[in-house]
Amino acid sequence: MYPADLVKPMREDLTNIGFEELHTVEEVDAAMKKEGTTLMVVNSVCGCAAANARPGARMSLQNAKKPDNLYTVFAGVDKEATDRARSYMVPFPPSSPSMALYKDGELVHMLERHHIEGRPAEMIAENLTGAYNEFC
């Protein structure tokens, strides 16, 4: 577990732009039952989350089409919630950071860590906006 003071600004990178943070299994399950499109971001303390994933997610929301629901879990902090969120990402193996887009609860687009690490935030945003344009 990471100290709360350490992860607070990393959490706020997403919650300040409209993501709802999920802390429990029950919250994740309720979120995944919502109709419409849902973006789930598995947040992380790693450098690629700070430099690529969170900025890419932020940039992607400037698109005309965007998900109806925005959620995030924090790997290494809320273990049970993160594990439950990852269970909705099967068949993809657990990775953080990662981002999954769902339409009416069905996984339709996935960005794993290897799609994020080493890629600029603009490329991640472009990938996400392409998915939003197709599914939102």
Side-chain angles (χ1 to χ4, degrees):
M1 293 290 254
Y2 296 104
D5 290 345
L6 173 74
V7 300
K8 185 178 186 282
M10 298 172 205
R11 291 177 184 269
E12 291 173 348
D13 276 349
L14 295 177
T15 58
N16 285 345
I17 59 169
F19 281 81
E20 181 181 339
E21 193 163 41
L22 307 175
H23 302 281
T24 68
V25 167
E26 294 79 17
E27 289 173 344
V28 172
D29 288 341
M32 295 309 300
K33 290 178 183 170
K34 291 209 175 170
E35 292 183 10
T37 50
T38 298
L39 180 64
M40 176 70 73
V41 175
V42 177
N43 202 350
S44 173
V45 298
C46 72
C48 65
N52 312 82
R54 293 190 300 266
R58 184 174 46 253
M59 286 181 221
S60 76
L61 297 178
Q62 302 307 308
N63 194 48
K65 291 184 176 184
K66 52 190 160 202
D68 301 309
N69 309 298
L70 303 171
Y71 297 110
T72 182
V73 294
F74 208 109
V77 177
D78 296 312
K79 181 180 176 1
E80 292 82 14
T82 301
D83 288 346
R84 178 68 79 172
R86 287 174 171 160
S87 76
Y88 288 98
M89 298 173 188
V90 171
F92 297 94
S95 69
S96 55
S98 60
M99 302 178 193
L101 183 67
Y102 303 86
K103 184 166 186 159
D104 296 325
E106 179 185 345
L107 181 62
V108 294
H109 188 76
M110 184 74 189
L111 281 172
E112 298 174 85
R113 180 185 177 103
H114 69 88
H115 297 119
I116 295 168
E117 191 172 31
R119 290 179 173 76
E122 294 82 6
M123 184 179 286
I124 293 161
E126 184 179 312
N127 181 298
L128 288 171
T129 58
Y132 302 165
N133 290 337
E134 182 175 350
F135 298 107
C136 295

